[in-house]
């Protein structure tokens, strides 16, 4: 279809189908994660998710037979632009869409794709990631969770940690050791299994905020079907690395998202004020402009990479550069919001703060984790040095 026609149709569809309340910045407690246990504070969240799922817009580039819209890279870019223009919220987020879904498209069997992808695209199943263990974070390949074959199944024993959303998750994608004698990268298998079974238990890790975004996850004779091995047995590291590239691209903003974020310039104008049509504080003005230019350059670099990787349809080690830069950019954006909003962005509870201000405080503190989750900045620098620049070990 002609791109202009597609743009017009998309614009009309978004304008007519997106509920008004889904055209505002997304509060932290309204994230549309999906899953069997999801409860939506705002019913429009679910309505918007359903409408987009029917259209294939929760997973725009996935093939139609798996619940996507089958858009090519240019059409997907138009959709992002139109969503951003209308300030509509992302209809569905989560590790299903951004991590295990793309990995399955690349490495899954036909049976795995048909079973799992449509249930991700409709938001029916919430996935969590079983990678990190108490002694295996940056050195992930040293993981010790064991899986042994028992007929058509694997029996799994071990522990994971920092498992985001494990207490709400329906399914887990998990790295397990299937050959303890092999060199550490070669004895790992990538397995999918149901969290709702007697052998799986989770203990939420309580933060100082009172929230528990992640958990300790225990497997005691948990079971997985052998047909749910993704890729080859003992070669799970290949799939694991690719999935990390998808994850890092997503965390760094390398999928070209960002719709639904509050506008830095508007916020700064509101809190600092305007003189002669300009932001009243010259130094903050400079920093906001610099940040805006960096954002624009980063966005263009992301777009160029999306275009260039159109033939392979897969990320590469460049994802480490996106992760490193994008998370720093995200953190500095929050620091600038803090400079603009001042003490109004230092509230935790009580009177004197609007909901959006309390939200901004939480979002600012949350950004601190961006350069840890999905592999720390130091680890990304190591990867860039070795895999992108070709420097010796
Ligand atoms: C918000 C959040 C959500 C998360 N969600 C999940 C999840 O859902 N599933 C999951 O499996 N994990 C999850 N994690 C865990 C995350 O992947 C790990 O925290 C991360 O990989 C770092 O591992 P670690 O915490 O064990 O730190 P360590 O590996 O112990 O690192 C400690 C410090 O040493 C540095 N360091 C370590 N090795 C090197 C090196 N070779 N060179 C230079 N510096 C080095 C690190 O950069 C870091 O500063 C999450 C983490 C966070 C913060």
């Amino acid at each position: 279809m002609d791109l202009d026609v597609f743009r017009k149709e998309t614009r009309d569809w978004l304008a007519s189908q997106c509920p008004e309340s889904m055209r505002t910045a997304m509060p932290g407690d309204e994230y549309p994660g999906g899953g069997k246990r999801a409860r939506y504070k705002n019913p429009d969240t679910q309505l918007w998710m359903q409408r987009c799922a029917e259209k294939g817009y929760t997973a725009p580039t996935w093939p139609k037979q798996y619940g996507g819209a089958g858009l090519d890279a240019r059409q997907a870019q138009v959709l992002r632009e139109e969503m951003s223009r209308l300030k509509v919220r992302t209809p569905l987020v989560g590790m299903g869409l951004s991590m295990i879904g793309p990995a399955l498209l690349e490495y899954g069997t036909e049976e795995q794709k048909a079973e799992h992808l449509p249930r991700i695209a409709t938001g029916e199943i919430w996935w969590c990631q079983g990678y990190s263990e108490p002694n295996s974070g940056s050195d992930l390949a040293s993981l010790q969770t064991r899986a042994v074959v028992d007929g058509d199944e694997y029996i799994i024993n071990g522990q994971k940690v920092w498992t985001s959303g494990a207490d709400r998750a329906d399914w887990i994608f998990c790295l397990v050791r299937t050959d303890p004698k092999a060199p550490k990268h070669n004895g790992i298998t990538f397995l999918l299994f149901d969290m709702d079974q007697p052998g799986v238990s989770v203990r939420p890790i309580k933060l100082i905020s009172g929230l528990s975004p992640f958990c300790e996850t225990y497997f005691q004779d948990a079971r997985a079907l052998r047909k749910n091995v993704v890729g080859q047995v003992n070669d799970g590291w290949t799939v694991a690395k690719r999935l990390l590239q998808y994850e890092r691209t997503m965390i760094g903003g390398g999928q070209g998202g960002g719709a639904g974020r509050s506008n830095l310039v508007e916020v700064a104008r509101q809190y600092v004020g305007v003189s002669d049509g300009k932001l009243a504080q010259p130094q903050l003005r400079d920093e906001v402009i610099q940040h805006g230019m960096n954002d624009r350059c980063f966005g263009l670099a992301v777009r160029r990479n999306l275009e260039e990787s159109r033939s392979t349809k897969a990320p590469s080690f460049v994802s480490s550069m996106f992760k490193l830069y994008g998370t720093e950019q995200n953190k500095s954006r929050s620091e600038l919001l803090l400079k603009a909003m001042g003490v109004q962005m230092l509230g935790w509870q009580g009177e004197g703060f609007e909901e959006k201000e309390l939200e901004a405080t939480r979002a600012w503190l949350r950004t601190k984790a961006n350069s840890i989750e999905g592999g720390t900045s130091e680890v990304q620098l190591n990867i860039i040095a070795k895999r992108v620049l070709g420097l010796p070990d």
Side-chain angles (χ1 to χ4, degrees):
M1 184 193 294
D2 177 76
L3 219 50
D4 290 336
V5 176
F6 177 74
R7 186 181 292 279
K8 165 91 176 57
E9 279 185 17
T10 305
R11 186 175 293 183
D12 292 347
W13 188 86
L14 291 171
S16 66
Q17 298 299 311
C18 182
E20 270 310 313
S21 70
M22 294 293 107
R23 302 180 194 201
T24 56
M26 182 136 57
D29 58 356
E30 286 192 23
Y31 268 86
K36 292 188 173 150
R37 279 172 262 193
R39 300 285 171 271
Y40 299 103
K41 204 172 131 190
N42 179 349
D44 281 348
T45 305
Q46 196 169 14
L47 178 67
W48 180 223
M49 190 189 298
Q50 277 167 355
R51 285 183 180 167
C52 284
E54 278 162 25
K55 184 86 177 158
Y57 280 178
T58 50
T61 58
W62 291 10
K64 286 187 178 172
Q65 83 238 48
Y66 305 131
L71 302 189
D72 63 29
R74 283 173 200 279
Q75 291 171 323
Q77 176 63 26
V78 167
L79 175 62
R80 275 192 295 274
E81 285 168 7
E82 290 304 315
M83 290 179 79
S84 177
R85 204 183 63 82
L86 276 177
K87 296 193 170 64
V88 307
R89 291 189 195 172
T90 308
L92 177 64
V93 294
M95 296 182 182
L97 272 185
S98 56
M99 292 155 68
I100 185 62
L104 280 177
L105 277 170
E106 200 176 341
Y107 293 99
T109 61
E110 195 44 52
E111 189 183 352
Q112 288 167 350
K113 290 182 203 175
E115 179 182 354
H116 298 295
L117 294 177
R119 296 200 294 166
I120 292 172
T122 54
E124 183 191 332
I125 299 291
W126 171 282
W127 286 82
C128 66
Q129 175 186 38
Y131 273 32
S132 306
E133 297 185 3
N135 294 311
S136 305
S138 300
D139 182 17
L140 182 60
S142 65
L143 61 94
Q144 294 299 319
T145 293
R146 283 293 314 274
V148 292
V149 171
D150 180 39
D152 288 343
E153 297 181 325
Y154 278 100
I155 300 179
I156 304 140
N157 282 285
Q159 187 201 336
K160 298 289 172 179
V161 73
W162 313 124
T163 330
S164 298
D167 49 344
R168 288 178 292 150
D170 305 300
W171 276 67
I172 186 167
F173 51 92
C174 192
L175 296 179
V176 293
R177 189 157 297 285
T178 36
D179 184 355
K181 295 202 185 88
K184 66 179 180 181
H185 293 91
N186 299 342
I188 293 170
T189 297
F190 193 109
L191 258 185
L192 315 175
F193 53 92
D194 199 329
M195 291 286 281
D196 186 13
Q197 56 166 304
V200 177
S201 57
V202 295
R203 196 157 62 193
I205 299 170
K206 201 159 190 172
L207 301 185
I208 194 171
S209 63
L211 298 175
S212 299
F214 35 42
C215 304
E216 294 173 301
T217 306
Y218 298 91
F219 308 123
Q220 205 170 10
D221 293 334
R223 289 188 171 258
L225 290 173
R226 285 172 73 179
K227 68 172 188 172
N228 275 326
V229 168
V230 183
Q232 302 300 312
V233 173
N234 292 328
D235 188 28
W237 191 245
T238 302
V239 186
K241 276 191 301 186
R242 176 67 94 211
L243 185 134
L244 281 172
Q245 292 177 349
Y246 286 115
E247 177 175 13
R248 289 165 183 164
T249 306
M250 180 265 299
I251 295 173
Q255 287 168 332
R261 283 197 321 187
S262 61
N263 183 309
L264 183 53
V265 176
E266 277 171 22
V267 174
R269 280 170 158 255
Q270 184 191 339
Y271 282 85
V272 175
V274 179
S275 103
D276 294 337
K278 297 178 190 158
L279 198 60
Q281 280 179 15
Q283 195 185 331
L284 181 62
R285 189 161 72 219
D286 282 353
E287 289 182 58
V288 168
I289 289 168
Q290 187 60 55
H291 187 275
M293 290 196 303
N294 291 347
D295 238 9
R296 181 94 179 109
C297 293
F298 182 50
L300 289 172
V302 165
R303 204 164 144 189
R304 192 185 68 198
N305 184 63
L306 282 173
E307 298 267 326
E308 284 175 358
S309 60
R310 214 176 327 147
S311 56
T312 58
K313 290 195 173 146
S316 64
F317 291 115
V318 171
S319 57
S320 288
M321 288 162 59
F322 287 155
K323 164 97 180 17
L324 185 74
Y325 188 83
T327 54
E328 286 311 321
Q329 184 71 353
N330 202 32
K331 287 202 293 191
S332 75
R333 183 176 182 281
S334 255
E335 294 292 339
L336 277 176
L337 280 171
L338 179 60
K339 280 189 186 174
M341 291 168 69
V343 290
Q344 287 311 112
M345 206 176 121
L346 289 176
W348 192 251
Q349 61 185 18
E351 291 175 5
F353 299 99
E354 290 179 30
E355 198 52 46
K356 67 172 186 194
E357 293 168 341
L358 297 176
E359 188 60 44
T361 308
R362 283 162 174 73
W364 165 55
L365 293 173
R366 177 62 182 81
T367 62
K368 306 294 175 197
N370 288 165
S371 44
I372 302 172
E373 59 196 320
T376 65
S377 287
E378 289 79 10
V379 166
Q380 305 318 306
L381 285 168
N382 285 342
I383 295 171
I384 294 165
K386 275 195 263 182
R387 309 286 174 204
V388 181
L389 302 176
L391 298 175
D393 262 331

